[in-house]
Amino acid sequence: MITAQHKIGSGFGARSTAAEVLAGIDLSGKLAVVTGGYSGLGLETTRALAGAGAHVVVPARRPADAEAALAGISGTEVGELDLADLTSVETFARRFLATGRPVDLLIAGAGIMAAPERRVGRGWESHFAICHLGHHALTGRLWPALTASGGARVVTVASSGHHSSPMRWDDVHFERGYDRWLAYGQAKTANVLFAVHLDRLGAEHGVRAFSLHPGAILTPLQRHLRQEEMVERGWIDEHGNQADPAFKSPEQGAATQVWAATSPSLDGMGGLYCEDCDVAEIAHEEGEWVGVRPYAIEAGEAARLWQLSADLTGVSPR
């Protein structure tokens, strides 16, 4: 069943925190895998899920850094994973599957933004590879554990940045000129489309998928931006302090992904793009950067991306 893309009146909003959306929800006995779960919004997501009783597995490219960041948060474990390296993805998944544990929640939160041009993996553009292809492969490799759950949710952390670019089918890897913001935008569109098609394939197996915009938050994701650029955009002042009142705290920024992963209000739904702890509306007008653009939830585009991703990675979650 295809769920309509419109608000459901969740009772939460832009200023809700991850702890607030989890109030009254007991995740004891549940296992979550959270990529990027040791920094920025990912760390707040891990903290909130573990606080509600979940056991949280945090795949990390820098395991020692992850161990240090998660010290003091009980119910967590770290595994080595580099999303830009398909061999690393396969190794992580093989080790996890060997434990025989199901995955109840998979939150694909790791990513990069506005990075300098770089080729990774098999010559892939880095935003598309790390934000999307690595997660496509990881989901496929973990598919037996997801279907074993009997009611798993996969949540991809996209962004309103998807408004800046649809899929560039004629030049996905920016081989004819690089633009860091368009590369980020395309990768975030891919995150949304991935959830659309994954939900279509996974629903019959009890696997539902969602994507989301967490909001604007100052986190290590901005590490590739110069301070002058962020001042010019009005994000921070000349002293490095947050200047835009619309920006969220990390606890608020983590809320929508936690809500999408756990809310009973979304039972029986899937393939939806969320923002501010609710299902988003479709954005029919350009320039507002609110809601989801039609090209990011179009079934044909999602199927085309799925086939391309399966061809590039050799993995198809199904």
Side-chain angles (χ1 to χ4, degrees), residues 3 7 21 26 29 33-35 45 54 57 63 92 96 110 125 155 184 187 207 229 245 271 273 295 301 311:
T3 310
K7 292 182 182 296
V21 302
D26 182 6
V33 176
V34 182
T35 69
T45 297
V57 178
F92 170 84
F96 180 87
E125 190 281 314
V155 177
Y184 175 68
V207 179
E229 182 177 359
Y273 175 87
Y295 59 68
E301 291 284 283
D311 292 342

Side-chain angles (χ1 to χ4, degrees), residues 80-95 121-122 124 137 141 313:
E80 186 171 359
L81 171 67
D82 182 350
L83 287 166
D85 181 347
L86 292 184
T87 300
S88 175
V89 173
E90 182 177 8
T91 299
F92 170 84
R94 185 175 64 250
R95 288 174 176 168
R122 300 170 181 173
W124 302 326
R141 297 294 185 189
T313 65

Side-chain angles (χ1 to χ4, degrees), residues 2-14 153 192 209-213 255-257 259-261 263-283 290-292 297:
I2 299 175
T3 310
Q5 178 75 50
H6 60 74
K7 292 182 182 296
I8 62 173
S10 69
F12 299 106
R153 288 191 191 177
V192 183
F210 300 88
S211 62
L212 64 105
H213 169 49
T256 302
Q257 56 196 280
W259 178 78
S263 176
S265 298
L266 293 173
D267 288 348
M269 300 182 186
L272 299 168
Y273 175 87
C274 306
E275 63 186 2
D276 293 339
C277 301
D278 204 336
V279 176
E281 298 289 343
I282 297 175
V290 175
V292 61
I297 54 174

Side-chain angles (χ1 to χ4, degrees), residues 112 116 138 186 250 298:
I112 57 175
L138 178 64
Q186 177 185 239
E298 204 279 314

